[in-house]
Amino acid sequence: MKKLLALVTASVMALSMVACGGSTSTSTATSTASTASTSTGSSEEQVTLNWAVWDLESTAYWKAMADGYMASHPNVTIEMTDLGSTDYMTQLATQLAGGNGELDVLTIKDIPGYSNLINLEMLVPMNDILERDTADFGGVIEQLTAEDGNFYGVPFRSDFWVLYYNKDIFDAAGVEYPTNDMTFDEFDALIREVSEASGVYGNFYHTWRSDVTLFGILDGQNTIIDGNYDFLAPYYETVLAEQKDGVVGDYGEQKTSALHYSAAFENGQTAMCNMGSWFIATLQAYNADAEANGVEPVNFGIVKYPHPEGVEAGTTLGTVTSLGINPYSENQEAAADFINWCVSDEGAAAIAATGTFPAVSNSEINSIIAATEGFPTDEASVEALNTVAVYLEMPLSDKAAEIETVLNTWHDAIMTYACTVEEGIANMNSEVQALLAE
């Protein structure tokens, strides 16, 4: 019971940094059994895997992965239990309570939840299970490795941040497009130039802390879990100066009005928007339905994320969605085989075909993404899909949820002028250091 209470409490505190959205429906089980039987293994014992997911009806890659696997494994039926997106980790905690083995494959939504499951011994170590070379995950596996040397989740989906821009606004303003190698200072200059020339915001920083501060982790030297946040000062100072000069939106007004980044960009209120790769599919869908909805499509492009001076272009921040195995499952071998398929080239291609970025990427996978309907056709946008390093927005820490709460509190205070940058960072330092000392 103590473990359950701890997991539920921590899960409620955990703030997912990925734009998940979608359903908040109660748990339901949905079978997507395939009728295909075109591969070997048809004589094997029949197995049913129960896979914990969220937003089943509105998320294309769940079914694509299940159907793709079952097409070559006719002895396996995959049933998905939809726990909803809003309180997914809390619902998962409830499902796993008391050593319940009903769920076989566990989708891990965020790093705080991942850390909690490890601490409560509710995940199977994957070191000897993963068949794919860990190097193929671009350093993410190392960031998911716990202090005991084990990693307990295998990422199948990876979202990384890029810079979106409205080509029509830049063209009308006579300003050159952003490039795939742009420092943060150059980004600041471009924000000011295009705003002054166009009369709209140069960039839209959403109200997430990551939008403003996480340029600072791209040097690979700084993290947001070590209790020292002095490195954030230049980024706060730059964005607050942009805000004061009116070339970006006011944080407080955006929070009050609940203006979403997608609406601001789609409506032409901003020339640029730094955001995760998930926004590509949103814009593709918006443009596909634009005529029917009586709106103008957005002529957009993307480039690689702006980076600090001295950091290689293509370095960015990101989030991952991982798969793990319930240690109380009676189908651990079959669950392991499914997870290995999901991160194989075949599985990655099935995920990419839905417009979603798999955790394992290469030129062929990027070509699948770039070929999806509505993806920008210019070479710079295609090149923007190539990354050299992806740093997790929230690294693995058993204090992740508590740290997140502290940082968000003082971020809000800094951005609304309730305190100075110096005061806010000092409070971040002292409060997180106190947490780490517990």
Side-chain angles (χ1 to χ4, degrees):
M1 181 58 71
K2 288 182 180 179
K3 286 187 175 183
L4 172 60
L5 290 174
L7 181 55
V8 172
T9 300
S11 297
V12 171
M13 294 175 64
L15 301 174
S16 174
M17 301 175 74
V18 178
C20 297
S23 169
T24 58
S25 61
T26 56
S27 174
T28 58
T30 302
S31 173
T32 59
S34 172
T35 58
S37 57
T38 58
S39 71
T40 60
S42 58
S43 61
E44 296 177 8
E45 180 182 354
Q46 293 297 311
V47 177
T48 297
L49 287 177
N50 194 344
W51 180 16
V53 302
W54 60 84
D55 295 350
L56 175 58
E57 296 302 321
S58 60
T59 306
Y61 55 81
W62 300 131
K63 190 173 186 299
M65 295 162 69
D67 286 351
Y69 180 78
M70 290 188 292
S72 57
H73 298 77
N75 62 302
V76 179
T77 298
I78 296 178
E79 294 183 349
M80 288 181 273
T81 297
D82 187 342
L83 301 178
S85 62
T86 302
D87 57 352
Y88 173 80
M89 293 306 298
T90 302
Q91 292 289 341
L92 185 60
T94 302
Q95 292 285 328
L96 296 175
N100 188 339
E102 180 180 347
L103 295 173
D104 302 302
V105 180
L106 310 178
T107 310
I108 303 166
K109 190 175 185 181
D110 53 44
I111 296 299
Y114 174 62
S115 176
N116 293 327
L117 291 176
I118 292 173
N119 291 339
L120 296 167
E121 300 179 352
M122 290 185 171
L123 289 171
V124 172
M126 300 296 291
N127 300 51
D128 297 327
I129 292 175
L130 177 62
E131 296 174 356
R132 184 143 201 164
D133 190 339
T134 57
D136 292 344
F137 295 85
V140 172
I141 293 292
E142 287 76 8
Q143 296 179 71
L144 293 176
T145 298
E147 292 183 358
D148 63 5
N150 293 314
F151 59 92
Y152 294 81
V154 175
F156 73 91
R157 171 185 172 179
S158 176
D159 285 294
F160 56 93
W161 288 58
V162 295
L163 181 65
Y164 297 80
Y165 66 98
N166 186 312
K167 294 181 179 180
D168 291 342
I169 291 177
F170 274 86
D171 290 342
V175 177
E176 292 188 4
Y177 296 158
T179 71
N180 274 316
D181 187 357
M182 189 164 54
T183 67
F184 181 75
D185 290 340
E186 290 170 339
F187 179 43
D188 171 52
L190 184 60
I191 288 172
R192 294 176 176 279
E193 180 183 6
V194 71
S195 179
E196 292 167 1
S198 67
V200 302
Y201 293 136
N203 188 63
F204 189 92
Y205 297 101
H206 195 49
T207 52
W208 297 328
R209 176 181 51 78
S210 51
D211 266 54
V212 171
T213 63
L214 292 192
F215 295 99
I217 69 170
L218 300 183
D219 60 2
Q221 304 300 312
N222 299 304
T223 78
I224 59 168
I225 60 171
D226 65 3
N228 187 334
Y229 302 99
D230 294 345
F231 71 93
L232 298 181
Y235 304 99
Y236 274 123
E237 290 166 355
T238 297
V239 175
L240 286 173
E242 293 170 349
Q243 185 171 282
K244 181 180 179 181
D245 294 339
V247 297
V248 301
D250 181 85
Y251 176 91
E253 292 177 2
Q254 288 171 200
K255 290 204 75 172
T256 300
S257 65
L259 178 61
H260 198 265
Y261 65 85
S262 58
F265 190 77
E266 290 161 357
N267 296 336
Q269 295 172 260
T270 182
M272 294 183 287
C273 180
N274 57 314
M275 188 48 59
S277 53
W278 59 81
F279 191 32
I280 295 173
T282 301
L283 289 171
Q284 288 172 307
Y286 179 87
N287 285 347
D289 297 334
E291 183 176 356
N293 292 333
V295 297
E296 290 294 320
V298 184
N299 184 17
F300 76 98
I302 63 172
V303 292
K304 296 179 181 182
Y305 210 57
H307 56 86
E309 188 73 42
V311 172
E312 186 177 0
T315 304
T316 186
L317 55 109
T319 59
V320 294
T321 308
S322 302
L323 297 175
I325 299 174
N326 182 355
Y328 300 102
S329 165
E330 295 182 358
N331 299 308
Q332 292 187 33
E333 185 176 349
D337 190 70
F338 172 62
I339 292 173
N340 277 309
W341 181 89
C342 288
V343 297
S344 68
D345 288 344
E346 184 180 358
I351 295 168
T354 68
T356 304
F357 288 86
V360 175
S361 190
N362 52 47
S363 59
E364 293 180 1
I365 295 299
N366 287 346
S367 295
I368 294 174
I369 295 286
T372 56
E373 186 174 356
F375 188 90
T377 57
D378 62 282
E379 292 183 5
S381 293
V382 176
E383 171 59 26
L385 301 181
N386 295 316
T387 61
V388 298
V390 178
Y391 292 101
L392 294 181
E393 294 182 34
M394 173 59 75
L396 179 59
S397 167
D398 60 1
K399 302 286 187 179
E402 295 92 334
I403 291 172
E404 182 73 9
T405 297
V406 170
L407 298 185
N408 285 340
T409 297
W410 290 108
H411 172 75
D412 194 76
I414 291 171
M415 294 301 296
T416 56
Y417 306 103
C419 71
T420 66
V421 172
E422 183 178 3
E423 290 168 343
I425 290 178
N427 284 316
M428 289 179 182
N429 289 345
S430 62
E431 291 185 21
V432 173
Q433 287 169 15
L435 284 173
L436 297 176
E438 291 179 355

